[in-house]
Amino acid sequence: MDVLLLILQRLELPQSLAFASVCKTWRAAAITASVPRSCTPWILSWAHLAQGERPSPVTCNLYHLLDGDKAYGVSFPRGCFNACCGASHGWLILVNELSNLVLYNPFTTRIIPLPPITDFSCVEAVYRSGGSLEGYHLGTGGRVYGSDELGKIFYQKAVLSCSPSKGGDYIVMIIHRDSDWLSFVKAGQRNWQVASSLGVSQKDKYADCAYHDGRFYTVTFDGLVEKWDIDGLNGPTREVVVAARCHVGLILTRHLVPTPWGDLLQVRAIRSDGSPDGIRFQIRKVELNGCKRISYKDLMGHALLLGLNHSACLHTKDFPGLQAQCVYFSVPWMVETSHWIRRSCAWGGVRIYNFECKKFERALPIRYSKSKRFIHVFPTEVWITPNL
């Protein structure tokens, strides 16, 4: 036991959680060393990086819902973390220093590189006279983005179909460019495949994507829900499940949430002058003939985790500390509505939305600089549940 405790003193939290999952004896040592439970969702924050700090290697903060005042440092391999665009099945989807995507499991430290950003036809590498990489062109010429700069704005969200930890044929789906392209890559493939690109005339953007019942689903800010078959002989095909429609009022976000009982929910945040914080959430059930509005009571003791992560619906009995019939929200990409969000003190950070009283409260006391006291338009936190 003394030897195990000495080892634990030299581990960061993610490795301590992996340590605790090995056997009963190691779990007992972890409890003695006050290692928190791993099953509850954690929040990974890189807010300090958004405020100008850029250590090398990058260290982010991991927060536990039951002890939000304590931050655990998590170090990443050098050059691996330049930005984050998603979390699925315990894995992070990161942007590295060359603006390429990588899959990284912070609890096992396994890393999987994905095809480079130059695989997309809209991106062209720019080289110096000596042959070293200077940066990238986005579109036709014009500005040269630094090699570590373009990736911060090029990827909006990424989700996995399943965990790479289990092997098998996982798929990565991304919303990118300006939230108007949808692309994917399968395990072992060397090239991205563009599934869809919204036309400039449409003026619509992808808001979220999710993997549900063996298929990827996407939703746009105008409410268009599509189901994707990416294994077709003639390439990826789509089926419109819910048509787009005009909505009175400002739509802040839309999220697709698979449930344990087999439904697919659409959760949207809208501006509401009648709510205490000027914002309220609404829940819809996605059906073949459209979206049906349901009550928060239909969540049946579950909580929703929304944000940059693959949206989750978790039973509070299985995840101590979560409050039933609540939304745990971390800010996703919000560029489309940033003109209003920047003025809202109620929005931003990591928050809990209570459906019954229609009000926000802070979930974690993550501190921002005074100049950033309102919303980060770009994400600085993501929910992640360990997958060991």
Side-chain angles (χ1 to χ4, degrees):
M1 180 62 71
D2 290 341
V3 174
L4 294 177
L5 292 175
L6 286 172
I7 293 172
L8 278 168
Q9 291 176 9
R10 289 160 171 78
L11 300 180
E12 288 190 338
L13 178 65
Q15 288 72 52
S16 297
L17 296 176
F19 181 103
S21 70
V22 172
C23 63
K24 292 182 179 179
T25 302
W26 288 27
R27 176 59 187 161
I31 293 174
T32 302
S34 300
V35 175
R37 292 186 57 178
S38 64
C39 65
T40 301
W42 296 73
I43 197 79
L44 182 76
S45 173
W46 56 99
H48 59 292
L49 301 181
Q51 296 167 13
E53 299 179 25
R54 185 60 61 171
S56 182
V58 167
T59 299
C60 297
N61 294 321
L62 204 60
Y63 295 87
H64 193 275
L65 274 177
L66 301 184
D67 188 12
D69 290 322
K70 185 174 182 180
Y72 300 87
V74 181
S75 299
F76 289 83
R78 190 177 300 274
C80 175
F81 192 111
N82 200 37
C84 178
C85 61
S88 288
H89 304 284
W91 287 71
L92 297 169
I93 301 94
L94 304 177
V95 183
N96 69 12
E97 62 184 0
L98 295 178
S99 291
N100 301 325
L101 291 182
V102 298
L103 305 180
Y104 182 71
N105 189 324
F107 305 97
T108 65
T109 68
R110 184 184 172 193
I111 187 169
I112 302 174
L114 297 178
I117 193 171
T118 50
D119 199 43
F120 296 107
S121 60
C122 60
V123 178
E124 180 184 3
V126 178
Y127 296 93
R128 300 182 180 90
S129 57
S132 61
L133 179 66
E134 178 182 355
Y136 305 103
H137 281 309
L138 179 60
T140 55
R143 176 183 173 183
V144 177
Y145 291 87
S147 58
D148 63 346
E149 181 184 9
L150 180 58
K152 296 177 183 178
I153 62 171
F154 188 74
Y155 308 103
Q156 282 76 59
K157 185 161 187 177
V159 299
L160 290 164
S161 60
C162 61
S163 171
S165 302
K166 301 177 181 178
D169 299 324
Y170 65 86
I171 305 167
V172 185
M173 179 77 82
I174 63 172
I175 297 172
H176 64 114
R177 211 186 74 104
D178 189 23
S179 295
D180 55 359
W181 281 30
L182 188 71
S183 300
F184 67 91
V185 65
K186 297 181 180 179
Q189 290 185 341
R190 297 184 177 182
N191 300 101
W192 289 103
Q193 184 169 351
V194 177
S196 173
S197 56
L198 297 175
V200 177
S201 60
Q202 291 180 262
K203 297 182 180 180
D204 198 5
K205 304 287 185 182
Y206 287 110
D208 195 21
C209 59
Y211 191 75
H212 170 68
D213 197 24
R215 290 285 187 270
F216 281 101
Y217 287 76
T218 58
V219 63
T220 68
F221 278 91
D222 286 344
L224 173 68
V225 178
E226 295 174 309
K227 180 171 70 171
W228 292 87
D229 180 2
I230 61 176
D231 295 317
L233 295 176
N234 298 318
T237 58
R238 75 187 87 185
E239 174 188 344
V240 175
V241 180
V242 180
R245 55 177 295 183
C246 295
H247 181 270
V248 178
L250 181 64
I251 298 290
L252 301 176
T253 64
R254 291 185 191 265
H255 296 271
L256 294 176
V257 188
T259 68
W261 54 91
D263 289 343
L264 180 64
L265 305 180
Q266 182 195 140
V267 182
R268 63 186 186 183
I270 64 175
R271 179 180 176 180
S272 174
D273 294 333
S275 299
D277 295 315
I279 304 164
R280 62 189 173 99
F281 282 86
Q282 295 178 335
I283 309 175
R284 300 286 194 275
K285 177 182 175 181
V286 177
E287 298 180 332
L288 293 177
N289 58 349
C291 279
K292 175 184 177 182
R293 186 169 182 175
I294 63 174
S295 167
Y296 67 88
K297 297 179 181 179
D298 294 323
L299 294 178
M300 298 179 291
H302 289 71
L304 305 179
L305 270 69
L306 309 180
L308 198 60
N309 58 294
H310 192 179
S311 302
C313 179
L314 305 178
H315 202 296
T316 53
K317 290 183 179 179
D318 300 327
F319 295 88
L322 292 182
Q323 300 177 35
Q325 279 81 262
C326 288
V327 171
Y328 287 76
F329 188 81
S330 63
V331 177
W333 274 75
M334 309 290 291
V335 176
E336 291 302 303
T337 50
S338 62
H339 60 283
W340 179 82
I341 292 171
R342 284 190 182 277
R343 301 193 300 268
S344 174
C345 296
W347 196 262
V350 183
R351 304 223 176 205
I352 304 173
Y353 178 81
N354 188 304
F355 277 105
E356 187 170 0
C357 62
K358 300 179 181 179
K359 195 171 183 179
F360 278 107
E361 63 179 85
R362 284 201 176 275
L364 297 170
I366 298 176
R367 296 173 178 83
Y368 304 94
S369 67
K370 293 182 179 180
S371 61
K372 301 275 186 176
R373 65 183 183 275
F374 299 125
I375 179 67
H376 288 289
V377 175
F378 306 113
T380 55
E381 292 91 20
V382 66
W383 294 104
I384 182 170
T385 301
N387 188 327
L388 304 172

